[in-house]
Amino acid sequence: MQDWDIIIVGAGAAGLTAALYSCRKQLRTLIISRDVGGQTNLTNHIENYPGVDPQPGPTLMQKFLAQAQSFGAELLQDKVVLVEKTKNTFQLTLEGGKKVNTRAVILAQGKEPTKLNIPGESTFFGNGLSTCVTCDGPLFKKKTVVVIGGGNAAVEGAIELAGLCEKVYLVHRRDIFRADEVTVKKLSMYKNLVLLLNTVPIKINGQKFVTGLNVKNAKSDKTTELAVDGVFSEIGHEADISLVQNLVKTNEQNEIIVDDRCKTSCQGIFACGDITQVPYKQTVIAAGEGAKAALEAHRYLTGAL
Ligand code: NDP
C-alpha cells in the first residue's frame, strides 16, 4: 500500500484548498511545503478575497491551514526535490534524502522571487535586501531605500514606502513602466520619490547591513552609488520546476501546462495556482484551481477518469 493517496507540494492558497477538498473526499492527504501561506503571506491587507473581512495575508492563510487540518490534512515542513513515476504511483524524494510514496500528486509550489544576479545579493538578503515591500517596508521607517523594478509590485511598493521613508529611489531598467498606468501616475504625488529610469542595479554594498547600491545608467554607462539603508528587489517571480523537469510539459516561463481540469501531461500529476500557466495570479483564483485539482485527482483515484 502507498503511504498516501495524495501528496500536495506547496502550502499556499492553491495547495491548502486542494488539501481541504481532498480530505473531504476521504483521501489520505499529506501537504509538503517549506512554509505555509505562499505569496498571500506577502500582503498585509487582503481585501479582495470574497466573503471575508480585510485582514493580513498570513492570517488568512493560517485559517486555510487550520480548516484543511480540521478535515485530516497533515503537513510536513520539508522540500520535495524529485518526483518519480513508478508504474501507476509516485515516489517523492525530500531534501534530506527521505522518500515518500503516493498514488497521486498535486503540484502547488507557486513561484520564487526572481534573482537580481548581482554581487552582494546573497550576502545582504535579510540584512537590508528584501523581496517584499509589504513584509519588510515598516522596518525602514524614516530611512532611505531603493526599489528595483518597473511592474506593479515595484511601483506600488515604491508608493507605499514613500509614505513611510525619508527618501525612496525607484530604479527601472527601461523608460516605460510595465505597471498599470493609473498606478504609475501616482508616483508624481510623492516629492520624496526619485525615479531613475534606464538604470540597472550592478552591486549591493555594505558591511553587516546594506549601505548602498551601485547603479549604471544604461544610456550613458555612468555608474553611481545610491546611499541607502535598504534595497527592495521587486522584479517578478520564477517557477521552480526542477522536481518534475522531465515529467510534465511546461511553457517558456517554466509554468506547468494544465488543462481546464488541472491535469498535467503526466497521468496522476495535477497542478494548480501560480505554478501553472493559468492567468491572473490571485489568491482567490489559486484557491479555486486548488479545489478543482483535488476534485479531479479524486476522480482519477476512484477510477472515474
Ligand atoms: P512583473 O513581471 O510585472 O515586473 C517585473 C519588473 O521587473 C519589470 O518591470 C522588469 O523590467 C523588471 N525586471 C525583471 N528582471 C529584472 C532585472 N534582472 N533587473 C532589473 N529589473 C528587472 O512582476 P511583478 O512582481 O511586478 O508583478 C507580477 C504580476 O502580479 C503581474 O501580473 C502584476 O500585474 C501582478 N501584480 C498586481 C498587483 C495589483 O494588481 N495590485 C500588485 C502586484 C503585482 P521590464 O519591464 O524591462 O521587463
Side-chain angles (χ1 to χ4, degrees):
M1 192 168 101
Q2 296 305 311
D3 304 341
W4 301 93
D5 293 321
I6 295 193
I7 290 183
I8 298 166
V9 183
L16 293 172
T17 308
L20 171 66
Y21 271 71
S22 107
C23 287
R24 286 176 55 83
K25 290 290 187 189
Q26 305 290 305
L27 298 171
R28 291 165 302 143
T29 304
L30 175 68
I31 310 162
I32 306 179
S33 185
R34 271 179 306 182
D35 54 7
V36 171
Q39 294 291 307
T40 310
N41 274 356
L42 306 186
T43 177
N44 258 335
H45 189 71
I46 179 158
E47 57 184 14
N48 58 1
Y49 196 85
V52 301
D53 291 333
Q55 57 194 287
T59 306
L60 182 63
M61 287 298 96
Q62 285 301 322
K63 289 179 189 163
F64 272 47
L65 174 65
Q67 196 174 1
Q69 287 177 323
S70 76
F71 285 98
E74 290 194 31
L75 172 69
L76 175 63
Q77 293 209 241
D78 209 322
K79 185 182 178 186
V80 177
V81 291
L82 188 66
V83 178
E84 291 170 289
K85 196 168 164 90
T86 49
K87 287 196 181 159
N88 289 330
T89 61
F90 298 90
Q91 184 167 77
L92 277 59
T93 306
L94 309 185
E95 206 162 34
K98 188 183 169 199
K99 297 191 189 289
V100 273
N101 298 304
T102 179
R103 295 169 63 210
V105 177
I106 296 179
L107 299 169
Q109 69 267 43
K111 292 186 174 176
E112 295 280 334
T114 303
K115 290 240 182 319
L116 287 163
N117 288 322
I118 59 172
E121 183 170 31
S122 50
T123 315
F124 294 110
F125 188 79
N127 292 314
L129 169 64
S130 163
T131 53
C132 178
V133 168
T134 317
C135 322
D136 299 326
L139 302 172
F140 293 86
K141 205 170 169 183
K142 297 207 160 64
K143 306 247 170 159
T144 298
V145 298
V146 57
V147 180
I148 303 165
N152 274 317
V155 175
E156 282 184 19
I159 290 169
E160 191 178 325
L161 290 166
L164 198 75
C165 298
E166 174 83 22
K167 186 172 183 179
V168 178
Y169 296 99
L170 176 57
V171 165
H172 179 36
R173 64 185 178 184
R174 293 189 294 140
D175 57 1
I176 296 170
F177 285 101
R178 192 176 286 276
D180 303 334
E181 229 169 285
V182 64
T183 311
V184 173
K185 271 191 182 152
K186 289 187 194 161
L187 289 171
S188 59
M189 289 164 49
Y190 295 88
K191 292 205 164 58
N192 60 341
L193 209 164
V194 180
L195 296 189
L196 296 173
L197 303 179
N198 296 309
T199 302
V200 290
I202 51 175
K203 184 170 175 276
I204 301 171
N205 306 317
Q207 297 292 323
K208 200 170 173 201
F209 293 98
V210 166
T211 56
L213 176 74
N214 290 357
V215 294
K216 186 165 92 173
N217 185 293
K219 292 201 162 159
S220 66
D221 264 358
K222 194 178 162 214
T223 301
T224 42
E225 183 184 11
L226 307 174
V228 293
D229 306 291
V231 176
F232 288 91
S233 175
E234 290 283 0
I235 61 168
H237 292 83
E238 279 167 15
D240 177 7
I241 41 120
S242 55
L243 65 162
V244 283
Q245 195 78 62
N246 299 313
L247 222 44
V248 297
K249 279 198 183 135
T250 53
N251 66 12
E252 60 285 352
Q253 277 102 43
N254 266 354
E255 294 170 329
I256 296 169
I257 297 172
V258 289
D259 68 6
D260 60 0
R261 287 171 175 258
C262 299
K263 281 187 285 183
T264 69
S265 57
C266 177
Q267 208 180 32
I269 301 187
F270 304 82
C272 49
D274 287 9
I275 191 70
T276 71
Q277 93 285 6
V278 173
Y280 308 121
K281 311 301 191 197
Q282 295 290 308
T283 302
V284 66
I285 292 173
E289 292 290 305
K292 210 199 286 180
L295 293 174
E296 195 63 11
H298 175 253
R299 249 163 64 88
Y300 165 75
L301 290 172
T302 51
L305 280 187

